[in-house]
Amino acid sequence: MTHGECVRHGNSAGKPEWVKNHFALCRRGTVQVVGTDVRTGEPVGTLTYVETIIGFAYQGERSVSFDQYFEDIQTTGTVKDSTTFLINRWNQSSGTGPILHKGQKHGGVTQISGGFRGEVGAAQEDASIKNWKRESMELLTFDEDAASGTGRDKVHKFDFVPATFFIAKDNKNVQLPEPKISVRFDSASYEKYKTGSIFTNTRNTLTYDRSNAAVNETAQHIYDAQHHPENTVPTKAGKAVPGAPSAKPLHRIFYDTTLRRQNRDTARAVCRANWPNYSSQDKDCDEYPFATTKEGAYKAQGNFSARALDSTDNQKAGSQLSAWYNDARILDGDAFYVQVK
C-alpha cells in the first residue's frame, strides 16, 4: 500500500475504509472539528484537515502499524495556527476507551513507537497547529501479547480508534467519531508463518481461472458445481452447492482430521461409482466443496460434486488452495468464498 494508492481509493471520513487485502488498509477523508464558545455554545471556529491512515499487518509478527498523515490543515474564526493546540490520540475499542500511550499496555496491546502528538505540556513537544503543518506525518506501531489470545490458535481481536481534537482559549470542540479499525492477531502453528496479524474488514476470496491451463479442469469442475449443479454427481433434486461469492461461504477445518478424512472418503465413493478405473488412468477424485471445509461431502447431504480429473491438474489446484490458506492467513473456522473466472 502506498500513499498514492490511498489517495486514489480512500473513502471519506466516517465511511468504511478501503482494505486492499488482509495486510494493507487505507482510510482517507476530510475531518472537521467545530469549536464552540464554552459559555454560549455558539460556533466560533473550525479546524478542517485531510486525514490519511495507511495500516500494515504482518506475517510472522503479532504487530500492526499505521502511517497517519494530516494534510491541508485549514482553520477559521478563533482557531489560530499559533495559539490552538492539537491532540491526536489512539484509543482502544471506542473513542472514549483507554488511551494508547507509548510503552503502556491496554487490553494486551502495547504501543511501542510513536504516541499521540501534541499533548499540552509534553517535553519538547510543540502541539500548535503551526507545528502540525510542518510535521504532518506520524508512525505508530503496536505489538500484541500472545498471552492475550484464546483457543488453539491464540486468537485476539482488537479495535483501534483514532481521535483528534484541539484546545483553544475559551473553546470546546465537537468532532464526529471516527470508525474503528479492527485487527486480528494469532499464533496458528500450522500456518507457514507461525504468528501474524490481519485486518478483518475484507471478504476472503480464493480465485481459480479456467483459462489457466495448469488448473483448468479443476476450475471448470468448481464452476459447474457452483453454477450448474444439476450436471454434477451425485445427482440430487434441487441441489445447491455453497462457496460462490453470491452464495453461502465455506469454512476451513484444520483440527478436525476425522471430518476431513470422511469428506474425502465420501467423495471417492462417488468417483468410484461413476469412474470405476479412474485411479489407474492418471486421474484423481476432485471434490468441491473442498475436503478441508466444514461444507465438504460427508455432511453436505448431497450438495457437493465429485469428479475424476487429470491428476497433475488436480494436485496443482490443491497446492494453490494450500498456498492461499497461508498467504491469506485463513485459520480453522474462517469463512471464505471461491470465485471462478
Side-chain angles (χ1 to χ4, degrees):
M1 174 80 74
T2 66
H3 185 272
E5 283 181 292
C6 194
V7 170
R8 291 192 298 273
H9 294 282
N11 294 308
S12 298
K15 295 182 180 180
E17 64 271 1
W18 175 56
V19 182
K20 181 178 181 181
N21 53 49
H22 270 167
F23 307 99
L25 169 148
C26 163
R27 179 189 298 158
R28 178 178 168 84
T30 300
V31 178
Q32 185 176 75
V33 188
V34 179
T36 60
D37 188 290
V38 295
R39 295 178 297 273
T40 66
E42 294 295 319
V44 293
T46 63
L47 164 69
T48 306
Y49 59 91
V50 176
E51 180 184 52
T52 304
I53 297 175
I54 303 175
F56 302 93
Y58 300 99
Q59 293 272 35
E61 299 179 39
R62 294 180 70 110
S63 299
V64 64
S65 60
F66 300 96
D67 292 345
Q68 187 176 17
Y69 298 83
F70 303 91
E71 303 164 280
D72 195 21
I73 300 174
Q74 304 290 331
T75 59
T76 65
T78 61
V79 181
K80 305 295 185 182
D81 284 10
S82 59
T83 59
T84 302
F85 296 92
L86 285 176
I87 297 180
N88 174 45
R89 289 176 171 172
W90 284 65
N91 294 3
Q92 174 192 351
S93 300
S94 69
T96 57
I99 298 171
L100 301 172
H101 293 259
K102 181 177 179 181
Q104 293 184 350
K105 182 180 295 186
H106 293 277
V109 170
T110 303
Q111 183 168 320
I112 62 171
S113 69
F116 63 76
R117 299 178 59 221
E119 182 177 18
V120 176
Q124 299 178 339
E125 183 78 58
D126 182 353
S128 68
I129 292 178
K130 181 179 180 181
N131 182 62
W132 275 55
K133 288 183 176 180
R134 291 195 304 264
E135 305 291 338
S136 60
M137 185 268 187
E138 182 170 22
L139 169 64
L140 304 99
T141 301
F142 303 91
D143 276 356
E144 201 275 340
D145 184 356
S148 300
T150 59
R152 292 183 180 185
D153 296 337
K154 296 294 183 183
V155 171
H156 183 216
K157 296 180 181 179
F158 194 90
D159 294 331
F160 296 88
V161 181
T164 303
F165 57 96
F166 65 80
I167 297 175
K169 184 178 180 181
D170 296 329
N171 288 346
K172 66 177 181 178
N173 65 83
V174 179
Q175 180 188 4
L176 294 176
E178 295 192 50
K180 63 186 179 183
I181 299 174
S182 298
V183 179
R184 185 188 75 184
F185 305 92
D186 75 85
S187 298
S189 61
Y190 49 87
E191 295 281 352
K192 179 180 178 181
Y193 296 93
K194 309 307 179 186
T195 60
S197 60
I198 64 168
F199 297 111
T200 61
N201 189 20
T202 184
R203 173 180 279 205
N204 302 316
T205 304
L206 166 65
T207 300
Y208 283 105
D209 191 343
R210 288 178 290 169
S211 68
N212 181 355
V215 296
N216 61 349
E217 286 193 22
T218 303
Q220 185 64 53
H221 177 213
I222 298 172
Y223 183 88
D224 291 344
Q226 291 180 344
H227 300 282
H228 302 288
E230 69 279 3
N231 297 331
T232 64
V233 293
T235 302
K236 178 188 177 181
K239 185 175 180 177
V241 181
S246 59
K248 293 180 180 179
L250 306 181
H251 297 82
R252 184 184 183 184
I253 54 173
F254 176 80
Y255 292 110
D256 193 342
T257 56
T258 298
L259 180 55
R260 287 159 58 185
R261 175 181 54 77
Q262 290 170 328
N263 285 340
R264 292 189 179 95
D265 289 347
T266 303
R268 286 169 182 164
V270 173
C271 283
R272 286 194 296 269
N274 288 271
W275 301 275
N277 300 315
Y278 76 89
S279 60
S280 63
Q281 299 172 350
D282 294 325
K283 292 183 181 295
D284 287 347
C285 183
D286 181 48
E287 70 265 35
Y288 179 83
F290 311 116
T292 53
T293 65
K294 185 177 69 174
E295 293 73 21
Y298 183 69
K299 295 183 177 181
Q301 298 181 326
N303 293 305
F304 72 96
S305 177
R307 183 178 294 180
L309 302 179
D310 175 77
S311 179
T312 300
D313 181 300
N314 188 239
Q315 290 175 24
K316 286 185 177 179
S319 296
Q320 185 174 331
L321 172 63
S322 297
W324 181 77
Y325 278 157
N326 281 299
D327 292 344
R329 204 155 194 90
I330 305 300
L331 304 186
D332 181 79
D334 279 355
F336 68 95
Y337 298 85
V338 182
Q339 174 179 283
V340 181
K341 296 180 179 180

